[in-house]
Amino acid sequence: MEHHHSEQHAHTNKGNYWLGATLVATFLIIVGYLLWHNWPTLMLSTIKWQREINGQLSDLLYDAKENPAAIYSLAGVSFLYGVFHSLGPGHGKMIVTTYLATNPAKVKASLIMTVISAFLQALVAIVLVTVLLVFFNSSMREINSAADRFITLSFVAMLLLGVIVAYRALKQSWQLYKQKTHKHDHTHHNHNHSHSHSHSHSHSSDCGCGHKHFADADSINQATNTREYIAIIASIGIRPCTGAILALLFANMVDMYWLGVVSALLMAVGTALTTSTIATMTLSGKKLVTKYLAYSDHQHSFAPLVFKLFGGLLLIGLGLLLLNSQSYGMSPVL
C-alpha cells in the first residue's frame, strides 16, 4: 500500500514537472519571438542612447584636460555607462542568461565567468586601440572597422557555442537512452534469474565488473562545464566594449590616454556588477522552478537535457539574429 502511494506521488510530481517545463518553454518561445520581432527597434534605441552617453564622455574628457575635477565626473559616468549598457540588449547577457537558465551551473562559477568576461571586453578594447594607434597610427575609422570585425567574430563564437551546447545535449540524451535501455534489459535478466536461484545481477554506471558501461550525468556535466565556461568567456570577451573604444580614442585626442584606460576599466566594473546580478537572479529563479518541479526520477530524466538542447538552439538563433542585424549596419560601433 505504501509502495503504491509513493509511486502515485512520484507520478503526480512527474506530471507537474512536465506541465511546468511546458509552461517555461512556451514562455521562452514567446519572449524569443517578441525579441526577434522588436529587435531592430531595440537596437536603434540602444544606438541612440549610446550616442548621447558617448557625447557626454567626450565632453568630460575634454574638460578633464583643463579641469582635473572633471576626472571624478568622468569616472562616475564611465561606471554608470557600464551598468546601464549592461541592462540593454546585448549578446553577453543573452549568452549568460540563456546558458545559465538551461544548463547545470553554480553561483560561484557563473559569477567568476561574468566578471572575467566583462574585464576581458575592456582589455580587448585597450589592446586593440593601443596596438592600432601606437604601431599602425590608424585613424578612428580604421579602428572602428577593426572593432567591427572583432564583434562579428564574437557573434560567430556565440553561434558555435550554441552548436557545441546543442551537440552535447544530444550526445548526453543518447547516452541516457542507452543507459535506460541497458537497465531495462538487465531488469528482465534479473527477473528470469530469480525463478531459478536468488542471484541478482544489475549494472550501474560502474558496477565493479571491470568496465564502465556509460557516463553518468554528473561526470558528463563536470567534464563539459569547464570547457563551456571558457567558450562563454571567449565568445563574450572577444567583443571589445564599444564605449571603451570611444573613450580611448577621445582620450588619445586630448593627450590623456591613461584616462581612457581608467574609463574603460571602470566601464568593466559597472558591466561586471550588472551582469553578475542578472546571472544570480537567473540562477535563483531557475533554482526555485527546479525545486518546485523536482521529482524522484529527475536525475535520470531527459527533461534537463531537453532544456539544454533548447538553450543551444536559442544561442544559435541569437547568433544568427545578431549577425543579420550587423549586416544591415546596426552595429553600435559609431
Side-chain angles (χ1 to χ4, degrees):
M1 184 73 180
E2 186 178 339
H3 178 69
H4 176 72
H5 178 72
S6 62
E7 279 189 350
Q8 188 177 14
H9 181 69
H11 181 73
T12 304
N13 284 342
K14 189 173 182 179
N16 288 338
Y17 182 90
W18 280 108
L19 175 62
T22 304
L23 290 173
V24 171
T26 304
F27 172 76
L28 290 173
I29 290 169
I30 292 170
V31 170
Y33 171 77
L34 291 173
L35 187 64
W36 182 281
H37 184 71
N38 295 300
W39 187 255
T41 306
L42 284 171
M43 287 297 290
L44 287 171
S45 299
T46 303
I47 292 169
K48 183 181 177 182
W49 175 81
Q50 281 186 310
R51 280 179 176 162
E52 292 173 357
I53 295 292
N54 291 333
Q56 290 183 23
L57 284 171
S58 62
D59 291 340
L60 286 169
L61 279 163
Y62 282 116
D63 291 343
K65 189 173 183 179
E66 305 295 332
N67 180 18
I71 293 174
Y72 299 107
S73 298
L74 176 67
V77 171
S78 298
F79 174 75
L80 290 174
Y81 178 93
V83 169
F84 292 113
H85 176 64
S86 301
L87 293 173
H91 96 298
K93 292 169 296 300
M94 291 178 184
I95 292 174
V96 169
T97 52
T98 302
Y99 183 85
L100 295 182
T102 57
N103 290 269
K106 291 182 170 60
V107 174
K108 185 179 177 182
S110 62
L111 291 179
I112 292 171
M113 180 176 66
T114 53
V115 170
I116 292 175
S117 299
F119 277 95
L120 187 58
Q121 281 190 315
L123 290 174
V124 167
I126 292 167
V127 171
L128 177 68
V129 175
T130 302
V131 168
L132 290 176
L133 284 177
V134 174
F135 294 101
F136 298 98
N137 197 26
S138 301
S139 66
M140 186 180 288
R141 185 177 293 276
E142 288 169 335
I143 291 171
N144 283 340
S145 178
D148 268 334
R149 286 193 288 273
F150 271 84
I151 290 169
T152 301
L153 190 60
S154 72
F155 295 159
V156 172
M158 178 182 184
L159 195 152
L160 291 176
L161 175 64
V163 171
I164 292 169
V165 170
Y167 167 74
R168 285 179 176 162
L170 290 171
K171 184 180 178 182
Q172 290 175 34
S173 297
W174 174 246
Q175 288 178 325
L176 187 57
Y177 171 76
K178 287 196 296 182
Q179 171 187 342
K180 285 180 176 288
T181 306
H182 188 81
K183 280 189 173 182
H184 180 72
D185 290 342
H186 277 284
T187 300
H188 283 286
H189 176 70
N190 293 341
H191 179 71
N192 292 335
H193 269 292
S194 66
H195 289 290
S196 56
H197 56 274
S198 60
H199 170 67
S200 177
H201 180 71
S202 63
H203 286 277
S204 62
S205 62
D206 190 0
C207 62
C209 63
H211 61 280
K212 203 171 182 72
H213 297 287
F214 51 84
D216 57 39
D218 290 337
S219 64
I220 291 170
N221 288 332
Q222 193 172 9
T224 59
N225 276 359
T226 304
R227 288 195 292 263
E228 287 177 359
Y229 289 161
I230 292 170
I232 288 168
I233 290 168
S235 62
I236 297 172
I238 201 171
R239 184 197 193 286
C241 176
T242 52
I245 289 175
L246 289 166
L248 289 162
L249 289 172
F250 291 138
N252 182 66
M253 290 170 66
V254 295
D255 296 323
M256 295 185 74
Y257 193 70
W258 67 270
L259 199 54
V261 173
V262 172
S263 176
L265 293 173
L266 285 169
M267 288 178 190
V269 173
T271 300
L273 181 66
T274 305
T275 313
S276 298
T277 304
I278 293 170
T280 306
M281 289 170 64
T282 302
L283 285 175
S284 299
K286 180 187 171 186
K287 189 176 180 181
L288 286 172
V289 171
T290 305
K291 187 177 180 181
Y292 174 73
L293 299 174
Y295 64 90
S296 58
D297 197 37
H298 178 69
Q299 290 297 324
H300 302 285
S301 169
F302 284 99
L305 296 178
V306 170
F307 275 104
K308 187 169 185 176
L309 175 62
F310 181 78
L313 294 175
L314 191 57
L315 286 174
I316 293 171
L318 290 170
L320 292 171
L321 175 63
L322 288 165
L323 284 168
N324 184 60
S325 298
Q326 196 181 31
S327 68
Y328 284 96
M330 300 187 75
S331 167
V333 178
L334 304 175

Tab-separated table of all heavy atoms in Angstrom, residues 232-286:
chain	number	residue	atom	x	y	z
A	232	ILE	N	32.256	30.371	-23.239
A	232	ILE	CA	31.378	31.515	-22.968
A	232	ILE	C	32.208	32.772	-22.750
A	232	ILE	O	31.930	33.835	-23.326
A	232	ILE	CB	30.494	31.243	-21.729
A	232	ILE	CG1	29.435	30.202	-22.074
A	232	ILE	CG2	29.811	32.517	-21.252
A	232	ILE	CD1	28.706	29.650	-20.870
A	233	ILE	N	33.255	32.672	-21.930
A	233	ILE	CA	34.137	33.820	-21.660
A	233	ILE	C	34.744	34.344	-22.955
A	233	ILE	O	34.793	35.552	-23.193
A	233	ILE	CB	35.242	33.433	-20.653
A	233	ILE	CG1	34.625	33.222	-19.260
A	233	ILE	CG2	36.328	34.505	-20.583
A	233	ILE	CD1	35.561	32.569	-18.265
A	234	ALA	N	35.186	33.407	-23.811
A	234	ALA	CA	35.798	33.802	-25.093
A	234	ALA	C	34.776	34.471	-26.011
A	234	ALA	O	35.059	35.510	-26.612
A	234	ALA	CB	36.398	32.578	-25.775
A	235	SER	N	33.564	33.888	-26.104
A	235	SER	CA	32.553	34.440	-27.019
A	235	SER	C	32.060	35.812	-26.569
A	235	SER	O	31.692	36.648	-27.396
A	235	SER	CB	31.372	33.477	-27.157
A	235	SER	OG	30.742	33.288	-25.913
A	236	ILE	N	32.064	36.060	-25.242
A	236	ILE	CA	31.674	37.384	-24.732
A	236	ILE	C	32.859	38.344	-24.760
A	236	ILE	O	32.760	39.472	-25.244
A	236	ILE	CB	31.133	37.280	-23.286
A	236	ILE	CG1	29.856	36.440	-23.242
A	236	ILE	CG2	30.843	38.668	-22.713
A	236	ILE	CD1	29.368	36.133	-21.838
A	237	GLY	N	33.986	37.883	-24.226
A	237	GLY	CA	35.142	38.763	-24.032
A	237	GLY	C	35.836	39.220	-25.297
A	237	GLY	O	36.463	40.278	-25.314
A	238	ILE	N	35.708	38.436	-26.368
A	238	ILE	CA	36.395	38.802	-27.613
A	238	ILE	C	35.743	40.019	-28.268
A	238	ILE	O	36.343	40.670	-29.125
A	238	ILE	CB	36.410	37.602	-28.591
A	238	ILE	CG1	37.517	37.773	-29.630
A	238	ILE	CG2	35.055	37.412	-29.260
A	238	ILE	CD1	37.738	36.567	-30.484
A	239	ARG	N	34.525	40.338	-27.828
A	239	ARG	CA	33.842	41.523	-28.356
A	239	ARG	C	34.276	42.733	-27.544
A	239	ARG	O	33.923	42.882	-26.387
A	239	ARG	CB	32.321	41.351	-28.215
A	239	ARG	CG	31.518	42.492	-28.816
A	239	ARG	CD	30.085	42.458	-28.282
A	239	ARG	NE	29.179	43.304	-29.007
A	239	ARG	CZ	29.126	44.628	-28.934
A	239	ARG	NH1	29.963	45.273	-28.149
A	239	ARG	NH2	28.251	45.313	-29.651
A	240	PRO	N	35.065	43.624	-28.142
A	240	PRO	CA	35.547	44.794	-27.384
A	240	PRO	C	34.407	45.717	-26.993
A	240	PRO	O	33.448	45.882	-27.743
A	240	PRO	CB	36.501	45.474	-28.368
A	240	PRO	CG	36.048	45.033	-29.720
A	240	PRO	CD	35.502	43.655	-29.547
A	241	CYS	N	34.494	46.296	-25.799
A	241	CYS	CA	33.479	47.239	-25.330
A	241	CYS	C	33.536	48.491	-26.195
A	241	CYS	O	34.568	49.168	-26.266
A	241	CYS	CB	33.735	47.598	-23.866
A	241	CYS	SG	32.615	48.841	-23.216
A	242	THR	N	32.432	48.806	-26.873
A	242	THR	CA	32.413	49.942	-27.802
A	242	THR	C	32.594	51.274	-27.075
A	242	THR	O	33.239	52.185	-27.582
A	242	THR	CB	31.089	49.951	-28.586
A	242	THR	OG1	29.999	49.883	-27.657
A	242	THR	CG2	31.006	48.763	-29.516
A	243	GLY	N	32.000	51.370	-25.875
A	243	GLY	CA	32.179	52.590	-25.086
A	243	GLY	C	33.634	52.790	-24.703
A	243	GLY	O	34.149	53.917	-24.717
A	244	ALA	N	34.321	51.686	-24.366
A	244	ALA	CA	35.732	51.754	-24.010
A	244	ALA	C	36.581	52.204	-25.191
A	244	ALA	O	37.505	53.018	-25.036
A	244	ALA	CB	36.199	50.391	-23.515
A	245	ILE	N	36.256	51.717	-26.377
A	245	ILE	CA	36.998	52.109	-27.587
A	245	ILE	C	36.882	53.616	-27.823
A	245	ILE	O	37.882	54.307	-28.072
A	245	ILE	CB	36.483	51.331	-28.825
A	245	ILE	CG1	36.921	49.871	-28.729
A	245	ILE	CG2	37.004	51.959	-30.126
A	245	ILE	CD1	36.372	48.996	-29.821
A	246	LEU	N	35.673	54.127	-27.722
A	246	LEU	CA	35.464	55.557	-27.953
A	246	LEU	C	36.123	56.411	-26.868
A	246	LEU	O	36.701	57.464	-27.162
A	246	LEU	CB	33.974	55.857	-28.041
A	246	LEU	CG	33.316	55.337	-29.329
A	246	LEU	CD1	31.811	55.342	-29.214
A	246	LEU	CD2	33.738	56.158	-30.532
A	247	ALA	N	36.043	55.937	-25.624
A	247	ALA	CA	36.705	56.666	-24.532
A	247	ALA	C	38.217	56.728	-24.769
A	247	ALA	O	38.847	57.769	-24.561
A	247	ALA	CB	36.402	55.986	-23.199
A	248	LEU	N	38.788	55.633	-25.237
A	248	LEU	CA	40.234	55.586	-25.529
A	248	LEU	C	40.598	56.512	-26.687
A	248	LEU	O	41.618	57.206	-26.644
A	248	LEU	CB	40.640	54.143	-25.859
A	248	LEU	CG	40.642	53.166	-24.679
A	248	LEU	CD1	40.618	51.722	-25.175
A	248	LEU	CD2	41.859	53.402	-23.784
A	249	LEU	N	39.745	56.534	-27.710
A	249	LEU	CA	40.018	57.405	-28.863
A	249	LEU	C	39.917	58.885	-28.481
A	249	LEU	O	40.769	59.689	-28.877
A	249	LEU	CB	39.029	57.078	-29.993
A	249	LEU	CG	39.232	55.734	-30.703
A	249	LEU	CD1	38.084	55.455	-31.657
A	249	LEU	CD2	40.566	55.710	-31.442
A	250	PHE	N	38.885	59.239	-27.718
A	250	PHE	CA	38.736	60.632	-27.272
A	250	PHE	C	39.891	61.031	-26.352
A	250	PHE	O	40.412	62.144	-26.449
A	250	PHE	CB	37.403	60.824	-26.550
A	250	PHE	CG	36.197	60.733	-27.447
A	250	PHE	CD1	35.053	60.053	-27.035
A	250	PHE	CD2	36.201	61.332	-28.701
A	250	PHE	CE1	33.942	59.967	-27.852
A	250	PHE	CE2	35.087	61.246	-29.526
A	250	PHE	CZ	33.958	60.565	-29.111
A	251	ALA	N	40.267	60.107	-25.453
A	251	ALA	CA	41.371	60.386	-24.525
A	251	ALA	C	42.679	60.594	-25.289
A	251	ALA	O	43.493	61.457	-24.925
A	251	ALA	CB	41.516	59.239	-23.531
A	252	ASN	N	42.865	59.839	-26.353
A	252	ASN	CA	44.073	59.988	-27.170
A	252	ASN	C	44.097	61.344	-27.869
A	252	ASN	O	45.154	61.969	-28.023
A	252	ASN	CB	44.133	58.854	-28.200
A	252	ASN	CG	45.377	58.907	-29.054
A	252	ASN	OD1	46.493	58.731	-28.562
A	252	ASN	ND2	45.203	59.160	-30.352
A	253	MET	N	42.925	61.815	-28.271
A	253	MET	CA	42.830	63.105	-28.963
A	253	MET	C	43.212	64.274	-28.062
A	253	MET	O	43.716	65.292	-28.540
A	253	MET	CB	41.409	63.305	-29.512
A	253	MET	CG	41.072	62.389	-30.679
A	253	MET	SD	39.318	62.430	-31.131
A	253	MET	CE	39.147	64.098	-31.728
A	254	VAL	N	42.972	64.118	-26.748
A	254	VAL	CA	43.306	65.210	-25.820
A	254	VAL	C	44.602	64.916	-25.053
A	254	VAL	O	44.894	65.553	-24.033
A	254	VAL	CB	42.148	65.459	-24.817
A	254	VAL	CG1	40.913	65.944	-25.552
A	254	VAL	CG2	41.836	64.220	-23.992
A	255	ASP	N	45.369	63.913	-25.574
A	255	ASP	CA	46.665	63.541	-24.984
A	255	ASP	C	46.551	63.122	-23.518
A	255	ASP	O	47.427	63.432	-22.694
A	255	ASP	CB	47.666	64.713	-25.110
A	255	ASP	CG	47.976	65.032	-26.560
A	255	ASP	OD1	48.055	64.085	-27.368
A	255	ASP	OD2	48.103	66.224	-26.887
A	256	MET	N	45.473	62.414	-23.183
A	256	MET	CA	45.309	61.865	-21.825
A	256	MET	C	44.864	60.400	-21.957
A	256	MET	O	43.817	59.989	-21.445
A	256	MET	CB	44.275	62.684	-21.041
A	256	MET	CG	44.711	64.125	-20.781
A	256	MET	SD	43.535	65.020	-19.735
A	256	MET	CE	43.852	64.316	-18.126
A	257	TYR	N	45.698	59.627	-22.643
A	257	TYR	CA	45.333	58.247	-22.965
A	257	TYR	C	45.113	57.406	-21.704
A	257	TYR	O	44.230	56.552	-21.670
A	257	TYR	CB	46.415	57.604	-23.843
A	257	TYR	CG	45.980	56.312	-24.478
A	257	TYR	CD1	45.027	56.300	-25.496
A	257	TYR	CD2	46.507	55.087	-24.052
A	257	TYR	CE1	44.617	55.111	-26.080
A	257	TYR	CE2	46.100	53.900	-24.629
A	257	TYR	CZ	45.148	53.915	-25.648
A	257	TYR	OH	44.736	52.739	-26.225
A	258	TRP	N	45.901	57.650	-20.679
A	258	TRP	CA	45.763	56.894	-19.424
A	258	TRP	C	44.366	57.024	-18.835
A	258	TRP	O	43.838	56.089	-18.227
A	258	TRP	CB	46.815	57.368	-18.405
A	258	TRP	CG	46.609	58.788	-17.933
A	258	TRP	CD1	47.111	59.925	-18.483
A	258	TRP	CD2	45.805	59.203	-16.807
A	258	TRP	NE1	46.683	61.038	-17.795
A	258	TRP	CE2	45.887	60.621	-16.753
A	258	TRP	CE3	45.043	58.548	-15.852
A	258	TRP	CZ2	45.228	61.369	-15.776
A	258	TRP	CZ3	44.384	59.293	-14.882
A	258	TRP	CH2	44.483	60.688	-14.849
A	259	LEU	N	43.753	58.205	-19.062
A	259	LEU	CA	42.413	58.441	-18.544
A	259	LEU	C	41.388	57.581	-19.299
A	259	LEU	O	40.404	57.110	-18.728
A	259	LEU	CB	42.066	59.931	-18.672
A	259	LEU	CG	40.919	60.451	-17.800
A	259	LEU	CD1	41.149	60.118	-16.336
A	259	LEU	CD2	40.770	61.965	-17.984
A	260	GLY	N	41.653	57.373	-20.562
A	260	GLY	CA	40.799	56.483	-21.356
A	260	GLY	C	40.874	55.044	-20.857
A	260	GLY	O	39.859	54.337	-20.820
A	261	VAL	N	42.084	54.615	-20.464
A	261	VAL	CA	42.277	53.262	-19.921
A	261	VAL	C	41.501	53.106	-18.612
A	261	VAL	O	40.813	52.098	-18.401
A	261	VAL	CB	43.778	52.966	-19.698
A	261	VAL	CG1	43.968	51.641	-18.977
A	261	VAL	CG2	44.524	52.960	-21.032
A	262	VAL	N	41.602	54.132	-17.738
A	262	VAL	CA	40.873	54.105	-16.462
A	262	VAL	C	39.371	54.062	-16.721
A	262	VAL	O	38.630	53.297	-16.081
A	262	VAL	CB	41.238	55.341	-15.600
A	262	VAL	CG1	40.331	55.426	-14.374
A	262	VAL	CG2	42.700	55.288	-15.178
A	263	SER	N	38.907	54.862	-17.669
A	263	SER	CA	37.481	54.900	-18.024
A	263	SER	C	37.013	53.532	-18.509
A	263	SER	O	35.938	53.055	-18.113
A	263	SER	CB	37.237	55.951	-19.108
A	263	SER	OG	35.885	55.950	-19.526
A	264	ALA	N	37.819	52.876	-19.351
A	264	ALA	CA	37.475	51.551	-19.886
A	264	ALA	C	37.352	50.519	-18.769
A	264	ALA	O	36.428	49.692	-18.763
A	264	ALA	CB	38.523	51.114	-20.902
A	265	LEU	N	38.275	50.573	-17.807
A	265	LEU	CA	38.258	49.619	-16.698
A	265	LEU	C	37.055	49.853	-15.770
A	265	LEU	O	36.463	48.899	-15.252
A	265	LEU	CB	39.564	49.693	-15.903
A	265	LEU	CG	40.812	49.216	-16.657
A	265	LEU	CD1	42.069	49.482	-15.839
A	265	LEU	CD2	40.707	47.726	-16.998
A	266	LEU	N	36.693	51.130	-15.574
A	266	LEU	CA	35.520	51.443	-14.753
A	266	LEU	C	34.230	50.981	-15.433
A	266	LEU	O	33.283	50.553	-14.766
A	266	LEU	CB	35.459	52.943	-14.462
A	266	LEU	CG	36.467	53.444	-13.416
A	266	LEU	CD1	36.512	54.966	-13.395
A	266	LEU	CD2	36.126	52.903	-12.028
A	267	MET	N	34.203	51.068	-16.757
A	267	MET	CA	33.056	50.529	-17.504
A	267	MET	C	32.941	49.025	-17.268
A	267	MET	O	31.839	48.486	-17.099
A	267	MET	CB	33.217	50.799	-19.002
A	267	MET	CG	33.018	52.237	-19.402
A	267	MET	SD	33.289	52.449	-21.183
A	267	MET	CE	33.293	54.248	-21.288
A	268	ALA	N	34.096	48.342	-17.232
A	268	ALA	CA	34.113	46.895	-16.997
A	268	ALA	C	33.573	46.567	-15.608
A	268	ALA	O	32.850	45.578	-15.432
A	268	ALA	CB	35.530	46.350	-17.158
A	269	VAL	N	33.901	47.399	-14.625
A	269	VAL	CA	33.396	47.193	-13.259
A	269	VAL	C	31.865	47.294	-13.252
A	269	VAL	O	31.176	46.452	-12.663
A	269	VAL	CB	34.004	48.218	-12.272
A	269	VAL	CG1	33.348	48.101	-10.898
A	269	VAL	CG2	35.509	48.018	-12.144
A	270	GLY	N	31.341	48.330	-13.909
A	270	GLY	CA	29.887	48.508	-13.985
A	270	GLY	C	29.206	47.360	-14.712
A	270	GLY	O	28.164	46.853	-14.273
A	271	THR	N	29.810	46.931	-15.819
A	271	THR	CA	29.267	45.816	-16.594
A	271	THR	C	29.266	44.530	-15.781
A	271	THR	O	28.278	43.785	-15.761
A	271	THR	CB	30.085	45.610	-17.887
A	271	THR	OG1	30.031	46.800	-18.678
A	271	THR	CG2	29.545	44.443	-18.707
A	272	ALA	N	30.388	44.273	-15.089
A	272	ALA	CA	30.511	43.058	-14.275
A	272	ALA	C	29.458	43.034	-13.168
A	272	ALA	O	28.858	41.993	-12.889
A	272	ALA	CB	31.912	42.968	-13.677
A	273	LEU	N	29.226	44.189	-12.556
A	273	LEU	CA	28.242	44.288	-11.467
A	273	LEU	C	26.841	43.937	-11.957
A	273	LEU	O	26.136	43.119	-11.355
A	273	LEU	CB	28.253	45.702	-10.878
A	273	LEU	CG	27.299	45.962	-9.705
A	273	LEU	CD1	27.716	45.151	-8.489
A	273	LEU	CD2	27.265	47.444	-9.363
A	274	THR	N	26.451	44.536	-13.077
A	274	THR	CA	25.108	44.300	-13.608
A	274	THR	C	24.945	42.870	-14.114
A	274	THR	O	23.956	42.201	-13.815
A	274	THR	CB	24.796	45.281	-14.759
A	274	THR	OG1	24.993	46.609	-14.292
A	274	THR	CG2	23.376	45.126	-15.253
A	275	THR	N	25.920	42.399	-14.897
A	275	THR	CA	25.831	41.054	-15.469
A	275	THR	C	25.829	39.987	-14.379
A	275	THR	O	25.116	38.991	-14.479
A	275	THR	CB	26.997	40.802	-16.445
A	275	THR	OG1	27.143	41.919	-17.322
A	275	THR	CG2	26.749	39.560	-17.287
A	276	SER	N	26.624	40.193	-13.336
A	276	SER	CA	26.656	39.249	-12.213
A	276	SER	C	25.308	39.210	-11.500
A	276	SER	O	24.840	38.140	-11.092
A	276	SER	CB	27.751	39.634	-11.215
A	276	SER	OG	29.017	39.574	-11.806
A	277	THR	N	24.692	40.375	-11.342
A	277	THR	CA	23.365	40.446	-10.715
A	277	THR	C	22.336	39.693	-11.550
A	277	THR	O	21.523	38.921	-11.021
A	277	THR	CB	22.920	41.915	-10.545
A	277	THR	OG1	23.906	42.613	-9.787
A	277	THR	CG2	21.576	42.006	-9.841
A	278	ILE	N	22.383	39.899	-12.872
A	278	ILE	CA	21.469	39.199	-13.784
A	278	ILE	C	21.693	37.695	-13.700
A	278	ILE	O	20.742	36.905	-13.666
A	278	ILE	CB	21.650	39.704	-15.236
A	278	ILE	CG1	21.181	41.159	-15.349
A	278	ILE	CG2	20.898	38.822	-16.216
A	278	ILE	CD1	21.529	41.824	-16.661
A	279	ALA	N	22.972	37.284	-13.658
A	279	ALA	CA	23.307	35.859	-13.572
A	279	ALA	C	22.776	35.245	-12.281
A	279	ALA	O	22.209	34.147	-12.283
A	279	ALA	CB	24.825	35.674	-13.657
A	280	THR	N	22.946	35.953	-11.166
A	280	THR	CA	22.476	35.467	-9.870
A	280	THR	C	20.950	35.351	-9.853
A	280	THR	O	20.390	34.371	-9.347
A	280	THR	CB	22.929	36.407	-8.729
A	280	THR	OG1	24.345	36.580	-8.794
A	280	THR	CG2	22.566	35.838	-7.377
A	281	MET	N	20.269	36.346	-10.419
A	281	MET	CA	18.802	36.311	-10.499
A	281	MET	C	18.337	35.145	-11.372
A	281	MET	O	17.349	34.470	-11.049
A	281	MET	CB	18.274	37.632	-11.066
A	281	MET	CG	18.408	38.810	-10.111
A	281	MET	SD	18.049	40.400	-10.917
A	281	MET	CE	16.329	40.187	-11.348
A	282	THR	N	19.044	34.902	-12.470
A	282	THR	CA	18.701	33.790	-13.362
A	282	THR	C	18.809	32.461	-12.629
A	282	THR	O	17.914	31.613	-12.708
A	282	THR	CB	19.628	33.774	-14.595
A	282	THR	OG1	19.517	35.019	-15.290
A	282	THR	CG2	19.263	32.643	-15.548
A	283	LEU	N	19.931	32.275	-11.906
A	283	LEU	CA	20.148	31.023	-11.177
A	283	LEU	C	19.144	30.856	-10.031
A	283	LEU	O	18.676	29.752	-9.758
A	283	LEU	CB	21.572	30.971	-10.632
A	283	LEU	CG	22.665	30.691	-11.668
A	283	LEU	CD1	24.038	30.775	-11.022
A	283	LEU	CD2	22.473	29.320	-12.297
A	284	SER	N	18.817	31.968	-9.358
A	284	SER	CA	17.846	31.907	-8.262
A	284	SER	C	16.468	31.505	-8.770
A	284	SER	O	15.788	30.664	-8.178
A	284	SER	CB	17.754	33.267	-7.561
A	284	SER	OG	19.000	33.629	-7.001
A	285	GLY	N	16.060	32.119	-9.877
A	285	GLY	CA	14.774	31.767	-10.488
A	285	GLY	C	14.750	30.329	-10.950
A	285	GLY	O	13.762	29.606	-10.748
A	286	LYS	N	15.857	29.891	-11.539
A	286	LYS	CA	15.951	28.510	-12.008
A	286	LYS	C	15.883	27.527	-10.838
A	286	LYS	O	15.243	26.478	-10.925
A	286	LYS	CB	17.262	28.328	-12.769
A	286	LYS	CG	17.483	26.920	-13.302
A	286	LYS	CD	18.866	26.793	-13.880
A	286	LYS	CE	19.176	25.349	-14.210
A	286	LYS	NZ	20.564	25.181	-14.652
